[in-house]
């Protein structure tokens, strides 16, 4: 079965056609980053207007790339939250219109749930390319087995979730202040490195010494996180040291190392405490090379299995929404036309 999925929760307009919950026939993503860059962050009003401009061409392109027409679609999925209300509204209205006119089920998907399901998409091309089409015979066996632990790290969220079954989640911990991606973006903005900060810091850190500055790793009790302290420590270091301040490369490498140490330690600890569970990584910060490598290494030491989606499925995309929607379809968990944006939806 084929699901047309839409994702417009933030600043990416994305449409995808996903077959049987794991085969990506197309996944088109239009980034608005150029329009927001000069403001150093996302301007919600600009985001929703840009979604309106491109949503129809993006849907058309996704269908064309999937070699499908509207008639081939069995259900329409869309992100309903969390996210920016104006942005979410554009995707929801488009999805409702398509569902209504085709008389096919509408499936509202939680954005965070979508991120988790990026781990269920066929990993046919781990070369960081968008894996498009073609049956991948072993893909189903590559899915994480329930229960597993999922670390969701994005610009808006940082949480550790125990995924018990399809649609059954228990949040073990979450950030008490900044999300990990938010901390990357804010540090980069303070250092005038550009926007979004995550990928820029990731790249620059490769030229720096991660041990140059020993930032305190905030290990709150349990599985909660806190990143604003590390961010403030970076700012204070710059403001207070003037001529003696460390090289930017060293600073960002040390900052990144501190954030990743906390993320990896808590995730591994959770996987062990819950009985040696597999670990899945999700969200935009899952694109971070240090996080990916360190998590893989530490998990290997502990003999834990790790699932990491290809880069294109870590940052916001509609394919992950299509994957989550497939399992909701099987449970007949459909939405009606009262589906509305939920800015702070949780899972
Ligand atoms: O999941 P996502 O695309 O959107 C949200 O739902 O927030 O995540 C975006 C976040 C941004 O904060 C961005 O800086 C961060 O993911 N990010 C990264 C990397 N690539 C994207 N952070 C660290 N390293 C990266 N390579
Ligand atoms: Zn996201």
């Amino acid at each position: 079965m084929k699901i047309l999925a839409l994702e417009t929760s933030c600043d990416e307009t994305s449409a995808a056609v996903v077959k049987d919950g794991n085969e990506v026939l197309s996944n088109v993503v239009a980034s608005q980053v150029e329009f927001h860059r000069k403001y150093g962050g996302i301007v919600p009003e600009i985001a929703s207007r840009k979604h309106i401009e491109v949503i129809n061409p993006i849907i058309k392109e996704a269908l064309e790339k999937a070699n499908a027409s509207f008639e081939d679609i069995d259900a329409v999925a869309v992100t309903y939250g969390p996210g920016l209300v104006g942005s979410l509204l554009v995707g929801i209205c488009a999805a409702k219109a398509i569902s209504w006119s085709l008389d096919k089920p509408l499936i509202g998907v939680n954005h965070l749930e979508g991120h988790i399901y990026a781990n269920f998409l066929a990993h046919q091309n781990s070369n960081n390319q968008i894996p498009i089409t073609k049956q991948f015979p072993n893909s189903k066996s590559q899915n994480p087995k329930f229960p597993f632990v999922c670390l969701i790290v994005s610009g808006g969220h940082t949480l550790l979730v125990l995924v018990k079954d399809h649609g059954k989640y228990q949040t073990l911990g979450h950030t008490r202040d900044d999300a990990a991606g938010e901390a990357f973006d804010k540090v980069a903005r303070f250092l005038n490195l550009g926007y979004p900060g995550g990928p820029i810091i990731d790249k620059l850190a490769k030229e720096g010494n991660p041990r140059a500055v020993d930032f305190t790793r905030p290990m709150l009790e349990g599985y909660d996180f806190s990143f604003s302290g590390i961010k403030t420590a970076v700012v204070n270091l710059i403001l207070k040291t003037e001529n003696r301040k460390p090289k930017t490369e060293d600073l960002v490498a040390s900052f990144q190392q501190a954030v990743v140490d906390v993320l990896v330690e808590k995730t591994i600890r959770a996987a062990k405490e819950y009985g040696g569970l597999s670990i899945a990584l999700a969200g935009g910060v899952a694109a971070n090379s240090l996080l990916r490598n360190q998590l893989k290494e530490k998990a290997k030491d502990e003999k834990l299995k790790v699932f990491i989606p290809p880069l294109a499925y870590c940052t916001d995309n509609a394919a992950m929404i299509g994957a989550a929607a497939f399992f909701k379809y099987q449970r007949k968990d459909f939405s009606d036309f009262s589906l509305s944006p939920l800015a702070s939806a949780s899972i």
Side-chain angles (χ1 to χ4, degrees):
M1 68 157 299
K2 292 187 184 123
I3 293 183
L4 171 66
L6 308 181
E7 154 63 46
T8 64
S9 66
C10 197
D11 63 337
E12 258 106 24
T13 319
S14 182
V17 179
V18 179
K19 190 178 161 197
D20 298 337
N22 82 329
E23 192 187 345
V24 183
L25 301 183
S26 65
N27 183 42
V28 182
V29 183
S31 171
Q32 304 176 355
V33 73
E34 290 310 319
F35 303 104
H36 300 285
R37 185 165 277 139
K38 66 177 167 194
Y39 303 103
I42 295 160
V43 183
E45 184 64 15
I46 294 177
S48 39
R49 284 168 190 271
K50 290 291 162 197
H51 284 308
I52 291 173
E53 282 172 25
V54 302
I55 186 88
N56 284 338
I58 292 294
I59 292 170
K60 191 162 173 265
E61 193 180 332
L63 288 169
E64 277 168 12
K65 286 200 164 141
N67 216 358
S69 67
F70 277 122
E71 285 67 38
D72 300 323
I73 297 304
D74 299 291
V76 187
V78 64
T79 308
Y80 67 84
L84 302 168
V85 170
S87 292
L88 290 162
L89 198 55
V90 179
I92 291 175
C93 287
K96 281 184 189 172
I98 297 167
S99 157
W100 175 271
S101 59
L102 297 178
D103 196 21
K104 291 285 157 71
L106 175 71
I107 305 172
V109 175
N110 182 300
H111 181 75
L112 301 173
E113 192 173 11
H115 273 305
I116 295 173
Y117 275 85
N119 286 283
F120 285 76
L121 292 170
H123 294 40
Q124 62 266 58
N125 186 348
S126 53
N127 217 2
N128 301 339
Q129 310 275 319
I130 297 182
I132 292 179
T133 65
K134 300 292 173 261
Q135 195 61 9
F136 190 68
N138 298 323
S139 57
K140 286 213 166 72
S141 63
Q142 293 188 355
N143 288 347
K145 299 267 179 302
F146 299 110
F148 63 91
V149 166
C150 185
L151 174 69
I152 308 176
V153 263
S154 74
H157 302 90
T158 296
L159 63 164
L160 202 48
V161 180
L162 179 63
V163 184
K164 296 175 172 173
D165 201 344
H166 290 298
K168 294 208 167 61
Y169 313 103
Q170 181 187 335
T171 301
L172 302 177
H174 54 79
T175 182
R176 301 227 186 130
D177 38 59
D178 288 352
E182 188 181 356
F184 272 92
D185 294 341
K186 285 178 175 170
V187 164
R189 186 160 62 198
F190 182 76
L191 297 171
N192 285 322
L193 297 176
Y195 170 85
I200 299 169
I201 289 182
D202 190 353
K203 198 164 163 226
L204 200 58
K206 291 190 170 50
E207 291 152 37
N209 174 6
R211 277 171 291 277
V213 186
D214 187 18
F215 291 115
T216 308
R217 275 71 167 149
M219 293 291 176
L220 303 183
E221 258 183 54
Y223 296 114
D224 279 353
F225 302 94
S226 166
F227 295 109
S228 77
I230 310 179
K231 173 199 69 188
T232 308
V234 174
V235 173
N236 286 343
L237 194 75
I238 296 293
L239 295 178
K240 288 180 186 154
T241 48
E242 291 181 358
N243 302 334
R244 293 176 293 109
K245 65 177 174 244
K247 273 187 1 198
T248 305
E249 291 84 343
D250 290 346
L251 194 56
V252 295
S254 304
F255 159 77
Q256 177 179 263
Q257 188 65 62
V259 172
V260 168
D261 282 352
V262 177
L263 291 172
V264 171
E265 174 165 339
K266 294 229 170 189
T267 306
I268 299 275
R269 197 200 303 160
K272 281 168 65 182
E273 281 183 17
Y274 281 83
L277 303 184
S278 296
I279 296 168
L281 196 54
V285 184
N288 184 269
S289 53
L290 182 69
L291 175 59
R292 296 167 84 91
N293 292 336
Q294 195 163 313
L295 186 62
K296 271 190 240 165
E297 269 170 34
K298 291 273 152 73
K300 199 171 161 205
D301 293 346
E302 300 290 346
K303 301 196 171 30
L304 301 167
K305 226 172 159 183
V306 176
F307 294 81
I308 304 183
L311 285 191
Y313 298 149
C314 290
T315 45
D316 289 350
N317 67 90
M320 65 186 196
I321 303 301
F326 173 75
F327 296 98
K328 292 190 93 170
Y329 185 96
Q330 300 206 309
R331 301 196 296 275
K332 299 211 179 337
D333 186 356
F334 301 134
S335 306
D336 59 29
F337 290 113
S338 66
L339 185 70
S340 306
L342 248 182
S344 51
S346 57
I347 55 171

PDB file of all heavy atoms in Angstrom, residues 7 9-10 111-112 115 154-157 283-284 314-317 320, ligand 2:
ATOM      1  N   GLU A   7       4.899  16.771   5.545  1.00  0.00           N
ATOM      2  CA  GLU A   7       5.549  17.235   6.781  1.00  0.00           C
ATOM      3  C   GLU A   7       5.856  18.721   6.604  1.00  0.00           C
ATOM      4  O   GLU A   7       6.617  19.108   5.713  1.00  0.00           O
ATOM      5  CB  GLU A   7       6.827  16.414   7.024  1.00  0.00           C
ATOM      6  CG  GLU A   7       7.928  17.071   7.832  1.00  0.00           C
ATOM      7  CD  GLU A   7       7.555  17.418   9.261  1.00  0.00           C
ATOM      8  OE1 GLU A   7       6.962  16.597   9.961  1.00  0.00           O
ATOM      9  OE2 GLU A   7       7.879  18.556   9.682  1.00  0.00           O
ATOM     10  N   SER A   9       6.075  20.842   9.725  1.00  0.00           N
ATOM     11  CA  SER A   9       5.986  21.316  11.109  1.00  0.00           C
ATOM     12  C   SER A   9       6.895  22.497  11.416  1.00  0.00           C
ATOM     13  O   SER A   9       6.641  23.251  12.340  1.00  0.00           O
ATOM     14  CB  SER A   9       6.296  20.175  12.070  1.00  0.00           C
ATOM     15  OG  SER A   9       7.643  19.787  11.932  1.00  0.00           O
ATOM     16  N   CYS A  10       7.957  22.660  10.623  1.00  0.00           N
ATOM     17  CA  CYS A  10       8.912  23.719  10.963  1.00  0.00           C
ATOM     18  C   CYS A  10       9.270  24.506   9.707  1.00  0.00           C
ATOM     19  O   CYS A  10       8.425  25.203   9.155  1.00  0.00           O
ATOM     20  CB  CYS A  10      10.110  23.072  11.638  1.00  0.00           C
ATOM     21  SG  CYS A  10      11.119  24.239  12.520  1.00  0.00           S
ATOM     22  N   HIS A 111       4.938  14.418  15.138  1.00  0.00           N
ATOM     23  CA  HIS A 111       6.257  14.638  14.531  1.00  0.00           C
ATOM     24  C   HIS A 111       7.360  13.801  15.207  1.00  0.00           C
ATOM     25  O   HIS A 111       8.244  13.257  14.529  1.00  0.00           O
ATOM     26  CB  HIS A 111       6.587  16.131  14.628  1.00  0.00           C
ATOM     27  CG  HIS A 111       7.895  16.510  14.031  1.00  0.00           C
ATOM     28  ND1 HIS A 111       8.105  16.592  12.674  1.00  0.00           N
ATOM     29  CD2 HIS A 111       9.083  16.833  14.601  1.00  0.00           C
ATOM     30  CE1 HIS A 111       9.362  16.946  12.448  1.00  0.00           C
ATOM     31  NE2 HIS A 111       9.972  17.100  13.594  1.00  0.00           N
ATOM     32  N   LEU A 112       7.293  13.697  16.519  1.00  0.00           N
ATOM     33  CA  LEU A 112       8.325  12.945  17.250  1.00  0.00           C
ATOM     34  C   LEU A 112       8.216  11.456  16.948  1.00  0.00           C
ATOM     35  O   LEU A 112       9.235  10.760  16.807  1.00  0.00           O
ATOM     36  CB  LEU A 112       8.194  13.185  18.762  1.00  0.00           C
ATOM     37  CG  LEU A 112       8.316  14.649  19.189  1.00  0.00           C
ATOM     38  CD1 LEU A 112       8.012  14.808  20.669  1.00  0.00           C
ATOM     39  CD2 LEU A 112       9.722  15.168  18.886  1.00  0.00           C
ATOM     40  N   HIS A 115       9.903  10.904  13.762  1.00  0.00           N
ATOM     41  CA  HIS A 115      11.363  10.785  13.889  1.00  0.00           C
ATOM     42  C   HIS A 115      11.762   9.362  14.300  1.00  0.00           C
ATOM     43  O   HIS A 115      12.713   8.797  13.769  1.00  0.00           O
ATOM     44  CB  HIS A 115      11.907  11.799  14.898  1.00  0.00           C
ATOM     45  CG  HIS A 115      12.209  13.149  14.303  1.00  0.00           C
ATOM     46  ND1 HIS A 115      13.044  13.304  13.216  1.00  0.00           N
ATOM     47  CD2 HIS A 115      11.794  14.401  14.633  1.00  0.00           C
ATOM     48  CE1 HIS A 115      13.130  14.604  12.909  1.00  0.00           C
ATOM     49  NE2 HIS A 115      12.381  15.285  13.751  1.00  0.00           N
ATOM     50  N   SER A 154      16.511  16.915  18.476  1.00  0.00           N
ATOM     51  CA  SER A 154      16.255  17.816  17.345  1.00  0.00           C
ATOM     52  C   SER A 154      16.411  19.257  17.796  1.00  0.00           C
ATOM     53  O   SER A 154      16.898  19.521  18.897  1.00  0.00           O
ATOM     54  CB  SER A 154      14.854  17.558  16.803  1.00  0.00           C
ATOM     55  OG  SER A 154      13.905  18.089  17.700  1.00  0.00           O
ATOM     56  N   GLY A 155      15.983  20.175  16.949  1.00  0.00           N
ATOM     57  CA  GLY A 155      16.087  21.588  17.286  1.00  0.00           C
ATOM     58  C   GLY A 155      15.094  21.973  18.376  1.00  0.00           C
ATOM     59  O   GLY A 155      15.332  22.882  19.159  1.00  0.00           O
ATOM     60  N   GLY A 156      13.990  21.274  18.429  1.00  0.00           N
ATOM     61  CA  GLY A 156      12.951  21.617  19.395  1.00  0.00           C
ATOM     62  C   GLY A 156      12.835  20.632  20.545  1.00  0.00           C
ATOM     63  O   GLY A 156      12.197  20.935  21.549  1.00  0.00           O
ATOM     64  N   HIS A 157      13.425  19.456  20.415  1.00  0.00           N
ATOM     65  CA  HIS A 157      13.220  18.413  21.419  1.00  0.00           C
ATOM     66  C   HIS A 157      14.466  17.609  21.718  1.00  0.00           C
ATOM     67  O   HIS A 157      15.290  17.403  20.836  1.00  0.00           O
ATOM     68  CB  HIS A 157      12.122  17.447  20.957  1.00  0.00           C
ATOM     69  CG  HIS A 157      10.832  18.140  20.708  1.00  0.00           C
ATOM     70  ND1 HIS A 157      10.514  18.663  19.485  1.00  0.00           N
ATOM     71  CD2 HIS A 157       9.816  18.452  21.535  1.00  0.00           C
ATOM     72  CE1 HIS A 157       9.362  19.263  19.574  1.00  0.00           C
ATOM     73  NE2 HIS A 157       8.908  19.163  20.795  1.00  0.00           N
ATOM     74  N   GLY A 283      15.989  12.356  14.870  1.00  0.00           N
ATOM     75  CA  GLY A 283      15.968  13.819  14.947  1.00  0.00           C
ATOM     76  C   GLY A 283      17.183  14.444  14.278  1.00  0.00           C
ATOM     77  O   GLY A 283      18.187  13.766  14.010  1.00  0.00           O
ATOM     78  N   GLY A 284      17.086  15.745  14.026  1.00  0.00           N
ATOM     79  CA  GLY A 284      18.114  16.447  13.265  1.00  0.00           C
ATOM     80  C   GLY A 284      19.523  16.303  13.827  1.00  0.00           C
ATOM     81  O   GLY A 284      20.490  16.169  13.077  1.00  0.00           O
ATOM     82  N   CYS A 314      17.213  11.802   9.132  1.00  0.00           N
ATOM     83  CA  CYS A 314      17.369  12.318  10.494  1.00  0.00           C
ATOM     84  C   CYS A 314      16.709  13.683  10.605  1.00  0.00           C
ATOM     85  O   CYS A 314      15.926  13.942  11.508  1.00  0.00           O
ATOM     86  CB  CYS A 314      18.854  12.441  10.853  1.00  0.00           C
ATOM     87  SG  CYS A 314      19.663  10.857  11.064  1.00  0.00           S
ATOM     88  N   THR A 315      17.046  14.573   9.675  1.00  0.00           N
ATOM     89  CA  THR A 315      16.419  15.895   9.693  1.00  0.00           C
ATOM     90  C   THR A 315      14.984  15.757   9.168  1.00  0.00           C
ATOM     91  O   THR A 315      14.601  14.708   8.643  1.00  0.00           O
ATOM     92  CB  THR A 315      17.227  16.895   8.847  1.00  0.00           C
ATOM     93  OG1 THR A 315      17.575  16.247   7.624  1.00  0.00           O
ATOM     94  CG2 THR A 315      18.503  17.305   9.534  1.00  0.00           C
ATOM     95  N   ASP A 316      14.201  16.813   9.304  1.00  0.00           N
ATOM     96  CA  ASP A 316      12.770  16.707   9.006  1.00  0.00           C
ATOM     97  C   ASP A 316      12.517  16.265   7.567  1.00  0.00           C
ATOM     98  O   ASP A 316      13.087  16.813   6.620  1.00  0.00           O
ATOM     99  CB  ASP A 316      12.090  18.060   9.271  1.00  0.00           C
ATOM    100  CG  ASP A 316      12.020  18.352  10.764  1.00  0.00           C
ATOM    101  OD1 ASP A 316      12.325  17.442  11.558  1.00  0.00           O
ATOM    102  OD2 ASP A 316      11.655  19.480  11.120  1.00  0.00           O
ATOM    103  N   ASN A 317      11.637  15.284   7.431  1.00  0.00           N
ATOM    104  CA  ASN A 317      11.294  14.747   6.107  1.00  0.00           C
ATOM    105  C   ASN A 317       9.948  14.054   6.206  1.00  0.00           C
ATOM    106  O   ASN A 317       9.523  13.641   7.287  1.00  0.00           O
ATOM    107  CB  ASN A 317      12.380  13.756   5.658  1.00  0.00           C
ATOM    108  CG  ASN A 317      12.405  12.517   6.511  1.00  0.00           C
ATOM    109  OD1 ASN A 317      11.725  11.539   6.224  1.00  0.00           O
ATOM    110  ND2 ASN A 317      13.160  12.529   7.617  1.00  0.00           N
ATOM    111  N   MET A 320       9.526   9.739   6.934  1.00  0.00           N
ATOM    112  CA  MET A 320       9.375   9.184   8.290  1.00  0.00           C
ATOM    113  C   MET A 320       7.910   9.255   8.740  1.00  0.00           C
ATOM    114  O   MET A 320       7.446   8.389   9.491  1.00  0.00           O
ATOM    115  CB  MET A 320      10.303   9.926   9.274  1.00  0.00           C
ATOM    116  CG  MET A 320       9.959  11.387   9.479  1.00  0.00           C
ATOM    117  SD  MET A 320      11.193  12.224  10.510  1.00  0.00           S
ATOM    118  CE  MET A 320      10.291  13.721  10.961  1.00  0.00           C
TER     119      MET A 320
HETATM  120 ZN1  LIG B   2      12.093  17.285  13.631  1.00  0.00          ZN
END
